[in-house]
Amino acid sequence: MRLEHIIEVTHFHLSLSFFKEKKRRVKLASYSKMGSQSAPPKANQDDYKLKDTKPVLGERWPHGGQRGGSGWIYTERATSTYDLVEQMFYLYVRVEKAKDLPPNQVTGSVDPYVEVKVGNYKGKTRHFEKKSNPEWKQVFAFSKDKIQSSVVEVYVRDKEMVARDDYIGKVVFDMHEVPTRVPPDSPLAPQWYRLEGRRGETKVRGEIMLAVWMGTQADEAFPEAWHSDSASVHGEGVYTIRSKVYVNPKLWYVRVNVIEAQDIEPQDKSQPPQAFVKAQVGQQVLKTKLSPTKTPNPMWNEDLVFVAAEPFEEQLVITVENKSTPAKDEVVGRLCVPLNKFEVRLDHRPVHSRWFNLERFGFGVLEGDKRHELKFSSRIHLRVCLEGAYHVLDESTMYISDTRPTARQLWKQPIGILEVGILSAQGLQPMKTNDGKSSTDAYCVAKYGQKWVRTRTITESFNPKWNEQYTWEVYDPCTVITLGVFDNCHLGGGSGSKNDSRIGKVRIRLSTLEMDRIYTNSYPLLVLSPKGLKKMGEVQLAIRFTCLSLAHIIYLYGHPLLPKMHYLHPFTVNQLDGLRYQAMNIVAVRLGRAEPPLRKEVVEYMLDVDSHIWSLRRSKANFFRIVSLFSGAISMTRWLGEVQQWKNPITTILVHVLFFILICYPELILPTIFLYMFLIGIWNFRFRPRHPPHMDTKLSWAEAAHPDELDEEFDTFPTSKAQDVVKMRYDRLRSVAGRIQTVVGDIATQGERLQALLSWRDPRATSLFVIFCLIAAVALYITPFKMVSVVAGIFWLRHPKFRSKLPSLPSNFFKRLPSRADGML
């Protein structure tokens, strides 16, 4: 059976299975409680496509005139520090401290705080109790586009618990007199200002140190400032809206080679022990196999691999246990060793092994001191090392963003710089309701290599503008940067029980980008839920990949993606899956302890922790991806069939001419093939992709997915659905698997028939084939190869008048050969 036939049969079987399930889905929908028995209507295809944008990027400073009119800059200036974002002007007010504040006449003390007011926006510092010389050191940032006032008012007030806060004094600035600061100029020096009365005619007791200036998001005070965009956030929630840069914890593989143990003494001394070893690092627990024989000196020689992060907070805990009964394990010895005591391995050479004494078990509380007696002690032989030459995988290899080994001394020089400008989002959907009002508090997270970045949260906006730029060093071009947009659900302060909601995600592979070109595009934010595919909005990005060494990039294309230890001493697939899951958990825990925390649900979504979960939609998408791979071969086969059938006589004659030329000059075959591929590549250059890749809804089969398939995909593991729903889904899975089973059986049958040619399973068929092989060998030895090729080519290209509609003789002979399917139950 030809490849084309196998693909078509496979396509037919699986498609038939998928279409049969439509009859079941009406019944399934009644159990799934989704409120709808039909797939959601398809959205406009253009909404799911990438769009070009033309933002005004770079810093532009206005012409100066008189001092204070338009700032202190007299020429237009563009800098490259923030050249991938749109410039945003902010009014900055730095409140440093105050002194000599008058006490309250009633209480005899003062509890001061500062209120900065610009139009309708108010920002407050924290208050101090009974302190006349407080220090705040806090910065307030007001967006210039939203300022509707010509003055900046700074009030100093006295906090009262019951009555209205007392007025102490104020300072007023004219907006036209505020200077403009241009980085990298030094920060504006704060000055002391005398406080004024309510009407401003008289000076009152007390002074405050302030600095007021006009700047942009490039100012170093921007990340830590209080922003008027988030004026509704108070208390501890202020700390959850700031932009931050996080660094992945340094992850290590810990390899524990359990070699042997000596003098294992069980509690029941009448029977020799059958021991095994259990090792634990943090929450990770692994066991060796049982010793094959019952002996006090067992041997295992097994490797147990864990993931640990610096600084090492866990210890390696080794326990030797005896299988006293099938249902009972008794601990006979224990060992605890800090991880920083072990050797670091940087290549394939083994490290030195060591013997460790085990603490004895089985004593009472009053006899605890006997555990440390050295008169007689069991011991264990271990070879433990920290693997520095591996890259600890915490993300899928399909979307890997870093390939460097753990040990820094093994890193190479960077080959490029990746710069990303996170501009804005457009048309975000409402994510929650506060006081009857729909809102979205959006922030963006980007992950590449060891560096995570988080933009500030823009509150109560469906079209947030971040305009923040970040930079990464690139060590391998065949890596992927991931950006996700989330809704902040922790603005009320405290830990909270809600999870930050997903708005959408974008992946960009660096190798698909042209070097030194700025890509400005709007990416659709798509989320798949049990209710179907939904567009949550668009995110606008500006991306530039700058090459530092073209020769180094070309050099990397011929080398392995991962460090060489992954190939010299590889892990099994199951080991990699388990280690990746543990690494992801460690990263999520460590980043969740930062301030503000990068929460677990955000880290899991960015790292695709659920990519291995069963999904009928993904299975169909992957199947049709395989089919598309063979589409070129199938098209070529069909074209050759048309040539063979003389559908276009001119084409067939030209193929005859090319065939005779290659027969006469066989040395031209390989050059012709490579020249043909060169010409195809040059021709396709005109149609090369002009945009970075983005989430493809057709490729993912997201639009065609039925609600019940999506409900199954988002089900928990283990399932939480009703028994009837689980039964129906199991029957559907059996139906699909049955079709796949049939196709796999057909492929196996063709292979076994090929083996049967010489196996004498069918003595008559094998006899005929053996005699044919002898005759063919003699004929081909006597006849020149060119003559044989010419005759075979002419016979294959013969005109349809000389063909029969019945199957050919070789096909008939092959289909009559036996297979092992007859022996299957």
Side-chain angles (χ1 to χ4, degrees), residues 783-811:
T783 310
F785 180 73
K786 291 183 179 181
M787 183 64 67
V788 175
S789 301
V790 169
V791 172
I794 293 176
F795 178 78
W796 186 76
L797 293 170
R798 67 191 185 278
H799 197 274
K801 291 182 179 180
F802 303 103
R803 297 179 184 274
S804 172
K805 294 184 178 180
L806 297 178
S808 63
L809 188 149
S811 176

Coordinates of all heavy atoms in Angstrom, one line a residue, residues 783-811:
T783 N 22.3 -7.4 -18.3 CA 21.8 -6.2 -18.9 C 22.4 -4.9 -18.3 O 22.5 -4.8 -17.1 CB 20.3 -6.2 -18.8 OG1 19.8 -7.4 -19.2 CG2 19.7 -5.1 -19.7
P784 N 22.8 -4.0 -19.1 CA 23.3 -2.7 -18.5 C 22.2 -2.0 -17.7 O 21.0 -2.1 -18.1 CB 23.7 -1.9 -19.8 CG 23.9 -2.9 -20.8 CD 23.0 -4.0 -20.6
F785 N 22.7 -1.3 -16.7 CA 21.7 -0.7 -15.8 C 20.9 0.4 -16.5 O 19.7 0.6 -16.2 CB 22.4 -0.1 -14.5 CG 21.5 0.5 -13.6 CD1 20.7 -0.2 -12.7 CD2 21.4 1.9 -13.5 CE1 19.8 0.4 -11.8 CE2 20.6 2.5 -12.6 CZ 19.8 1.8 -11.8
K786 N 21.6 1.1 -17.4 CA 20.9 2.2 -18.1 C 19.7 1.6 -18.9 O 18.6 2.2 -19.0 CB 21.8 3.0 -19.0 CG 22.8 3.8 -18.2 CD 23.7 4.6 -19.1 CE 24.7 5.5 -18.4 NZ 25.5 6.3 -19.3
M787 N 20.0 0.4 -19.5 CA 18.9 -0.2 -20.4 C 17.8 -0.6 -19.5 O 16.6 -0.4 -19.9 CB 19.5 -1.4 -21.1 CG 18.6 -2.1 -22.0 SD 18.1 -1.0 -23.4 CE 19.7 -0.9 -24.3
V788 N 18.0 -1.2 -18.3 CA 17.0 -1.6 -17.4 C 16.2 -0.3 -17.0 O 14.9 -0.4 -16.9 CB 17.5 -2.3 -16.2 CG1 16.4 -2.6 -15.2 CG2 18.2 -3.6 -16.6
S789 N 16.8 0.8 -16.7 CA 16.1 2.0 -16.2 C 15.3 2.5 -17.3 O 14.1 3.0 -17.1 CB 17.2 3.0 -15.8 OG 18.0 2.5 -14.7
V790 N 15.8 2.5 -18.6 CA 15.0 3.0 -19.7 C 13.7 2.2 -19.9 O 12.6 2.7 -20.1 CB 15.8 3.1 -21.0 CG1 15.0 3.3 -22.2 CG2 16.9 4.1 -20.8
V791 N 13.9 0.9 -19.9 CA 12.7 0.0 -20.1 C 11.7 0.2 -18.9 O 10.5 0.3 -19.2 CB 13.2 -1.5 -20.2 CG1 12.0 -2.4 -20.2 CG2 14.0 -1.7 -21.4
A792 N 12.2 0.3 -17.7 CA 11.3 0.4 -16.6 C 10.6 1.8 -16.6 O 9.3 1.9 -16.4 CB 12.0 0.3 -15.3
G793 N 11.3 2.8 -17.0 CA 10.7 4.1 -17.1 C 9.6 4.2 -18.2 O 8.5 4.8 -18.0
I794 N 10.0 3.6 -19.4 CA 9.0 3.6 -20.5 C 7.8 2.8 -20.1 O 6.6 3.2 -20.4 CB 9.7 3.1 -21.8 CG1 10.8 4.1 -22.3 CG2 8.6 2.9 -22.9 CD1 11.5 3.6 -23.4
F795 N 8.0 1.7 -19.4 CA 6.8 0.9 -19.1 C 5.9 1.6 -18.1 O 4.7 1.6 -18.1 CB 7.3 -0.4 -18.4 CG 6.2 -1.3 -18.0 CD1 5.5 -2.1 -18.9 CD2 5.9 -1.4 -16.6 CE1 4.5 -2.9 -18.4 CE2 4.9 -2.2 -16.2 CZ 4.2 -3.0 -17.1
W796 N 6.6 2.3 -17.1 CA 5.8 3.1 -16.1 C 5.1 4.3 -16.7 O 4.0 4.6 -16.3 CB 6.7 3.5 -15.0 CG 6.0 4.1 -13.8 CD1 5.3 3.5 -12.9 CD2 5.9 5.5 -13.5 NE1 4.8 4.4 -12.0 CE2 5.1 5.7 -12.4 CE3 6.4 6.7 -14.1 CZ2 4.8 6.9 -11.8 CZ3 6.1 7.9 -13.6 CH2 5.3 8.0 -12.4
L797 N 5.6 4.9 -17.7 CA 5.0 6.1 -18.4 C 4.2 5.7 -19.6 O 3.9 6.6 -20.4 CB 6.1 7.1 -18.7 CG 6.9 7.7 -17.6 CD1 8.1 8.5 -18.1 CD2 5.9 8.7 -16.8
R798 N 3.9 4.5 -19.8 CA 3.2 4.1 -21.0 C 1.9 4.7 -21.1 O 1.3 5.1 -20.1 CB 3.1 2.5 -21.1 CG 2.2 1.9 -20.0 CD 2.3 0.4 -20.0 NE 1.4 -0.2 -19.1 CZ 1.6 -0.3 -17.8 NH1 2.7 0.2 -17.2 NH2 0.7 -0.9 -17.0
H799 N 1.3 4.8 -22.3 CA 0.0 5.5 -22.5 C -1.1 4.7 -21.9 O -1.0 3.4 -21.9 CB -0.2 5.6 -24.0 CG -1.2 6.6 -24.4 ND1 -2.6 6.3 -24.5 CD2 -1.2 8.0 -24.7 CE1 -3.3 7.4 -24.8 NE2 -2.4 8.4 -24.9
P800 N -2.2 5.3 -21.5 CA -3.3 4.6 -20.9 C -3.9 3.5 -21.8 O -4.6 2.6 -21.3 CB -4.3 5.7 -20.6 CG -3.5 6.9 -20.4 CD -2.4 6.8 -21.4
K801 N -3.7 3.6 -23.2 CA -4.3 2.6 -24.1 C -3.6 1.3 -23.8 O -4.2 0.2 -24.1 CB -4.0 3.0 -25.5 CG -4.9 4.2 -26.0 CD -4.6 4.6 -27.4 CE -5.5 5.7 -27.9 NZ -5.3 6.1 -29.3
F802 N -2.4 1.3 -23.3 CA -1.7 0.1 -23.0 C -1.8 -0.4 -21.5 O -1.0 -1.2 -21.1 CB -0.2 0.2 -23.4 CG 0.0 0.7 -24.8 CD1 0.3 2.0 -25.1 CD2 -0.2 -0.3 -25.9 CE1 0.5 2.4 -26.4 CE2 0.0 0.1 -27.2 CZ 0.3 1.5 -27.5
R803 N -2.7 0.2 -20.8 CA -2.9 -0.1 -19.4 C -4.2 -0.9 -19.2 O -5.2 -0.7 -19.9 CB -2.9 1.1 -18.5 CG -1.6 1.9 -18.6 CD -1.8 3.2 -17.7 NE -0.6 4.0 -17.8 CZ 0.5 3.8 -17.0 NH1 0.5 2.9 -16.1 NH2 1.5 4.6 -17.2
S804 N -4.2 -1.6 -18.1 CA -5.4 -2.3 -17.7 C -5.9 -1.7 -16.4 O -5.2 -1.1 -15.6 CB -5.1 -3.8 -17.4 OG -6.2 -4.4 -16.8
K805 N -7.2 -1.7 -16.3 CA -7.9 -1.1 -15.1 C -7.8 -2.0 -13.9 O -8.0 -1.6 -12.8 CB -9.3 -0.8 -15.4 CG -9.5 0.3 -16.4 CD -11.0 0.7 -16.6 CE -11.2 1.8 -17.6 NZ -12.6 2.2 -17.8
L806 N -7.4 -3.2 -14.1 CA -7.2 -4.1 -13.0 C -5.9 -3.9 -12.3 O -5.0 -3.3 -12.8 CB -7.2 -5.6 -13.5 CG -8.5 -6.0 -14.2 CD1 -8.4 -7.5 -14.7 CD2 -9.7 -5.9 -13.2
P807 N -5.8 -4.3 -11.0 CA -4.5 -4.1 -10.3 C -3.4 -4.8 -11.0 O -3.6 -5.8 -11.6 CB -4.8 -4.7 -8.9 CG -6.3 -4.7 -8.8 CD -6.9 -4.9 -10.2
S808 N -2.2 -4.3 -10.7 CA -1.0 -4.8 -11.3 C -0.6 -6.2 -10.7 O -1.1 -6.5 -9.6 CB 0.2 -3.9 -11.2 OG 0.5 -3.7 -9.9
L809 N 0.2 -6.9 -11.4 CA 0.6 -8.2 -10.9 C 1.4 -8.1 -9.6 O 1.1 -8.9 -8.7 CB 1.5 -8.9 -12.0 CG 1.9 -10.4 -11.7 CD1 2.1 -11.1 -13.0 CD2 3.2 -10.5 -11.0
P810 N 2.4 -7.2 -9.4 CA 3.0 -7.1 -8.1 C 2.1 -6.8 -7.0 O 2.2 -7.3 -5.9 CB 4.1 -6.0 -8.3 CG 4.3 -6.0 -9.8 CD 3.0 -6.3 -10.4
S811 N 1.1 -5.9 -7.3 CA 0.1 -5.6 -6.2 C -0.7 -6.8 -5.8 O -1.0 -7.0 -4.6 CB -0.8 -4.4 -6.7 OG -1.8 -4.1 -5.8

